[in-house]
PDB file of all heavy atoms in Angstrom:
ATOM      1  N   GLU A  20       0.380   2.303  -0.555  1.00  0.00           N
ATOM      2  CA  GLU A  20       1.162   3.599  -0.688  1.00  0.00           C
ATOM      3  C   GLU A  20       0.244   4.742  -0.455  1.00  0.00           C
ATOM      4  O   GLU A  20      -0.821   4.932  -1.045  1.00  0.00           O
ATOM      5  CB  GLU A  20       1.894   3.712  -2.015  1.00  0.00           C
ATOM      6  CG  GLU A  20       2.790   4.878  -2.114  1.00  0.00           C
ATOM      7  CD  GLU A  20       3.722   4.847  -3.321  1.00  0.00           C
ATOM      8  OE1 GLU A  20       3.704   3.773  -3.997  1.00  0.00           O
ATOM      9  OE2 GLU A  20       4.285   5.829  -3.634  1.00  0.00           O
ATOM     10  N   GLU A  53     -14.524  -0.107  15.331  1.00  0.00           N
ATOM     11  CA  GLU A  53     -15.836  -0.588  15.849  1.00  0.00           C
ATOM     12  C   GLU A  53     -15.611  -1.727  16.882  1.00  0.00           C
ATOM     13  O   GLU A  53     -16.568  -2.094  17.620  1.00  0.00           O
ATOM     14  CB  GLU A  53     -16.601  -1.197  14.709  1.00  0.00           C
ATOM     15  CG  GLU A  53     -16.959  -0.179  13.633  1.00  0.00           C
ATOM     16  CD  GLU A  53     -17.773   0.931  14.125  1.00  0.00           C
ATOM     17  OE1 GLU A  53     -18.589   0.610  15.016  1.00  0.00           O
ATOM     18  OE2 GLU A  53     -17.575   2.064  13.658  1.00  0.00           O
ATOM     19  N   ASP A 137      17.729 -15.048  22.297  1.00  0.00           N
ATOM     20  CA  ASP A 137      16.793 -13.935  22.655  1.00  0.00           C
ATOM     21  C   ASP A 137      16.657 -14.142  24.222  1.00  0.00           C
ATOM     22  O   ASP A 137      17.325 -14.960  24.811  1.00  0.00           O
ATOM     23  CB  ASP A 137      15.520 -13.917  21.990  1.00  0.00           C
ATOM     24  CG  ASP A 137      14.839 -15.281  21.983  1.00  0.00           C
ATOM     25  OD1 ASP A 137      15.127 -16.085  22.938  1.00  0.00           O
ATOM     26  OD2 ASP A 137      13.986 -15.558  21.121  1.00  0.00           O
ATOM     27  N   THR A 141      15.282 -20.402  30.105  1.00  0.00           N
ATOM     28  CA  THR A 141      15.666 -21.747  29.966  1.00  0.00           C
ATOM     29  C   THR A 141      16.193 -22.292  31.234  1.00  0.00           C
ATOM     30  O   THR A 141      16.608 -21.544  32.150  1.00  0.00           O
ATOM     31  CB  THR A 141      16.721 -21.799  28.848  1.00  0.00           C
ATOM     32  OG1 THR A 141      17.108 -23.288  28.778  1.00  0.00           O
ATOM     33  CG2 THR A 141      18.001 -21.069  29.242  1.00  0.00           C
ATOM     34  N   GLN A 160      12.954  -2.657  33.311  1.00  0.00           N
ATOM     35  CA  GLN A 160      13.610  -3.977  33.026  1.00  0.00           C
ATOM     36  C   GLN A 160      14.972  -3.812  32.505  1.00  0.00           C
ATOM     37  O   GLN A 160      15.263  -2.710  31.772  1.00  0.00           O
ATOM     38  CB  GLN A 160      12.795  -4.758  32.102  1.00  0.00           C
ATOM     39  CG  GLN A 160      13.219  -6.263  31.905  1.00  0.00           C
ATOM     40  CD  GLN A 160      12.394  -6.990  30.917  1.00  0.00           C
ATOM     41  OE1 GLN A 160      12.583  -6.840  29.679  1.00  0.00           O
ATOM     42  NE2 GLN A 160      11.397  -7.759  31.459  1.00  0.00           N
ATOM     43  N   GLU A 221       5.295  11.053  33.660  1.00  0.00           N
ATOM     44  CA  GLU A 221       4.232  11.735  33.021  1.00  0.00           C
ATOM     45  C   GLU A 221       4.704  12.291  31.615  1.00  0.00           C
ATOM     46  O   GLU A 221       4.583  13.392  31.200  1.00  0.00           O
ATOM     47  CB  GLU A 221       3.684  12.966  33.769  1.00  0.00           C
ATOM     48  CG  GLU A 221       3.094  12.532  35.126  1.00  0.00           C
ATOM     49  CD  GLU A 221       2.670  13.824  35.889  1.00  0.00           C
ATOM     50  OE1 GLU A 221       2.850  14.984  35.436  1.00  0.00           O
ATOM     51  OE2 GLU A 221       1.947  13.563  36.873  1.00  0.00           O
ATOM     52  N   GLN A 226       8.024  16.506  23.054  1.00  0.00           N
ATOM     53  CA  GLN A 226       8.784  17.429  23.857  1.00  0.00           C
ATOM     54  C   GLN A 226       9.053  16.828  25.272  1.00  0.00           C
ATOM     55  O   GLN A 226      10.183  17.040  25.835  1.00  0.00           O
ATOM     56  CB  GLN A 226       8.112  18.787  23.964  1.00  0.00           C
ATOM     57  CG  GLN A 226       9.062  19.863  24.588  1.00  0.00           C
ATOM     58  CD  GLN A 226      10.312  20.106  23.764  1.00  0.00           C
ATOM     59  OE1 GLN A 226      10.280  20.095  22.557  1.00  0.00           O
ATOM     60  NE2 GLN A 226      11.376  20.084  24.406  1.00  0.00           N
ATOM     61  N   TRP A 263      29.212  -1.361  33.444  1.00  0.00           N
ATOM     62  CA  TRP A 263      28.080  -0.607  33.972  1.00  0.00           C
ATOM     63  C   TRP A 263      28.429   0.818  34.256  1.00  0.00           C
ATOM     64  O   TRP A 263      27.565   1.684  34.009  1.00  0.00           O
ATOM     65  CB  TRP A 263      27.632  -1.279  35.340  1.00  0.00           C
ATOM     66  CG  TRP A 263      26.346  -0.821  35.881  1.00  0.00           C
ATOM     67  CD1 TRP A 263      26.042   0.058  36.796  1.00  0.00           C
ATOM     68  CD2 TRP A 263      25.025  -1.254  35.345  1.00  0.00           C
ATOM     69  NE1 TRP A 263      24.786   0.306  36.917  1.00  0.00           N
ATOM     70  CE2 TRP A 263      24.101  -0.617  36.115  1.00  0.00           C
ATOM     71  CE3 TRP A 263      24.595  -2.304  34.491  1.00  0.00           C
ATOM     72  CZ2 TRP A 263      22.705  -0.813  35.853  1.00  0.00           C
ATOM     73  CZ3 TRP A 263      23.337  -2.422  34.226  1.00  0.00           C
ATOM     74  CH2 TRP A 263      22.325  -1.715  34.949  1.00  0.00           C
ATOM     75  N   GLU A 267      26.407   3.957  32.673  1.00  0.00           N
ATOM     76  CA  GLU A 267      26.022   5.172  33.498  1.00  0.00           C
ATOM     77  C   GLU A 267      26.482   6.528  32.833  1.00  0.00           C
ATOM     78  O   GLU A 267      25.747   7.430  32.758  1.00  0.00           O
ATOM     79  CB  GLU A 267      26.513   5.082  34.872  1.00  0.00           C
ATOM     80  CG  GLU A 267      25.837   4.027  35.663  1.00  0.00           C
ATOM     81  CD  GLU A 267      26.416   3.955  37.082  1.00  0.00           C
ATOM     82  OE1 GLU A 267      27.625   4.046  37.215  1.00  0.00           O
ATOM     83  OE2 GLU A 267      25.608   3.619  38.027  1.00  0.00           O
ATOM     84  N   LYS A 351      28.353  64.666  15.332  1.00  0.00           N
ATOM     85  CA  LYS A 351      28.377  63.743  14.140  1.00  0.00           C
ATOM     86  C   LYS A 351      28.284  62.307  14.725  1.00  0.00           C
ATOM     87  O   LYS A 351      28.582  62.077  15.854  1.00  0.00           O
ATOM     88  CB  LYS A 351      29.633  63.933  13.356  1.00  0.00           C
ATOM     89  CG  LYS A 351      30.876  63.618  14.192  1.00  0.00           C
ATOM     90  CD  LYS A 351      32.157  63.825  13.362  1.00  0.00           C
ATOM     91  CE  LYS A 351      33.386  63.491  14.154  1.00  0.00           C
ATOM     92  NZ  LYS A 351      34.677  63.700  13.389  1.00  0.00           N
ATOM     93  N   LYS A 408      28.427  63.682  33.893  1.00  0.00           N
ATOM     94  CA  LYS A 408      28.719  63.503  35.241  1.00  0.00           C
ATOM     95  C   LYS A 408      27.719  64.051  36.221  1.00  0.00           C
ATOM     96  O   LYS A 408      27.823  63.775  37.382  1.00  0.00           O
ATOM     97  CB  LYS A 408      30.082  64.000  35.676  1.00  0.00           C
ATOM     98  CG  LYS A 408      31.244  63.321  34.824  1.00  0.00           C
ATOM     99  CD  LYS A 408      32.630  63.943  35.151  1.00  0.00           C
ATOM    100  CE  LYS A 408      33.692  63.285  34.380  1.00  0.00           C
ATOM    101  NZ  LYS A 408      34.994  63.823  34.672  1.00  0.00           N
ATOM    102  N   LEU A 431       9.816  61.751  27.560  1.00  0.00           N
ATOM    103  CA  LEU A 431      11.132  62.344  27.928  1.00  0.00           C
ATOM    104  C   LEU A 431      12.208  61.317  27.949  1.00  0.00           C
ATOM    105  O   LEU A 431      13.336  61.554  27.412  1.00  0.00           O
ATOM    106  CB  LEU A 431      11.011  62.928  29.335  1.00  0.00           C
ATOM    107  CG  LEU A 431      10.022  64.224  29.452  1.00  0.00           C
ATOM    108  CD1 LEU A 431       9.883  64.582  30.876  1.00  0.00           C
ATOM    109  CD2 LEU A 431      10.606  65.318  28.551  1.00  0.00           C
ATOM    110  N   MET A 441       9.935  51.159  29.891  1.00  0.00           N
ATOM    111  CA  MET A 441      10.300  52.587  29.964  1.00  0.00           C
ATOM    112  C   MET A 441      10.249  53.188  31.363  1.00  0.00           C
ATOM    113  O   MET A 441      11.035  53.960  31.742  1.00  0.00           O
ATOM    114  CB  MET A 441       9.447  53.339  28.930  1.00  0.00           C
ATOM    115  CG  MET A 441      10.069  54.676  28.529  1.00  0.00           C
ATOM    116  SD  MET A 441      11.446  54.497  27.407  1.00  0.00           S
ATOM    117  CE  MET A 441      10.695  54.163  25.950  1.00  0.00           C
ATOM    118  N   ARG A 480      21.344  61.246  46.886  1.00  0.00           N
ATOM    119  CA  ARG A 480      22.731  60.901  46.539  1.00  0.00           C
ATOM    120  C   ARG A 480      22.848  60.466  45.069  1.00  0.00           C
ATOM    121  O   ARG A 480      23.934  60.878  44.473  1.00  0.00           O
ATOM    122  CB  ARG A 480      23.206  59.759  47.424  1.00  0.00           C
ATOM    123  CG  ARG A 480      23.267  60.070  48.919  1.00  0.00           C
ATOM    124  CD  ARG A 480      24.134  59.091  49.671  1.00  0.00           C
ATOM    125  NE  ARG A 480      23.608  57.751  49.659  1.00  0.00           N
ATOM    126  CZ  ARG A 480      22.694  57.368  50.504  1.00  0.00           C
ATOM    127  NH1 ARG A 480      22.181  58.120  51.402  1.00  0.00           N
ATOM    128  NH2 ARG A 480      22.310  56.043  50.433  1.00  0.00           N
ATOM    129  N   ILE A 481      21.870  59.869  44.608  1.00  0.00           N
ATOM    130  CA  ILE A 481      21.974  59.419  43.160  1.00  0.00           C
ATOM    131  C   ILE A 481      21.993  60.641  42.244  1.00  0.00           C
ATOM    132  O   ILE A 481      22.595  60.767  41.275  1.00  0.00           O
ATOM    133  CB  ILE A 481      20.789  58.529  42.831  1.00  0.00           C
ATOM    134  CG1 ILE A 481      21.118  57.088  43.288  1.00  0.00           C
ATOM    135  CG2 ILE A 481      20.531  58.524  41.204  1.00  0.00           C
ATOM    136  CD1 ILE A 481      22.091  56.335  42.374  1.00  0.00           C
ATOM    137  N   THR A 563      23.223  70.855  23.090  1.00  0.00           N
ATOM    138  CA  THR A 563      24.411  70.312  23.883  1.00  0.00           C
ATOM    139  C   THR A 563      25.667  70.856  23.386  1.00  0.00           C
ATOM    140  O   THR A 563      26.578  71.296  24.088  1.00  0.00           O
ATOM    141  CB  THR A 563      24.402  68.791  23.816  1.00  0.00           C
ATOM    142  OG1 THR A 563      23.188  68.288  24.378  1.00  0.00           O
ATOM    143  CG2 THR A 563      25.548  68.273  24.772  1.00  0.00           C
ATOM    144  N   ILE A 700      15.728  78.589  71.064  1.00  0.00           N
ATOM    145  CA  ILE A 700      15.594  78.585  69.622  1.00  0.00           C
ATOM    146  C   ILE A 700      14.931  80.015  69.306  1.00  0.00           C
ATOM    147  O   ILE A 700      13.911  80.338  69.812  1.00  0.00           O
ATOM    148  CB  ILE A 700      14.729  77.497  69.182  1.00  0.00           C
ATOM    149  CG1 ILE A 700      15.456  76.156  69.474  1.00  0.00           C
ATOM    150  CG2 ILE A 700      14.500  77.575  67.683  1.00  0.00           C
ATOM    151  CD1 ILE A 700      14.489  74.918  69.158  1.00  0.00           C
TER     152      ILE A 700
END
Side-chain angles (χ1 to χ4, degrees):
E20 185 169 349
E53 300 298 328
D137 54 23
T141 179
Q160 189 178 80
E221 299 182 351
Q226 191 58 46
W263 194 261
E267 289 177 327
K351 61 181 179 180
K408 298 180 180 179
L431 294 174
M441 200 70 76
R480 293 199 299 276
I481 282 286
T563 302
I700 300 173

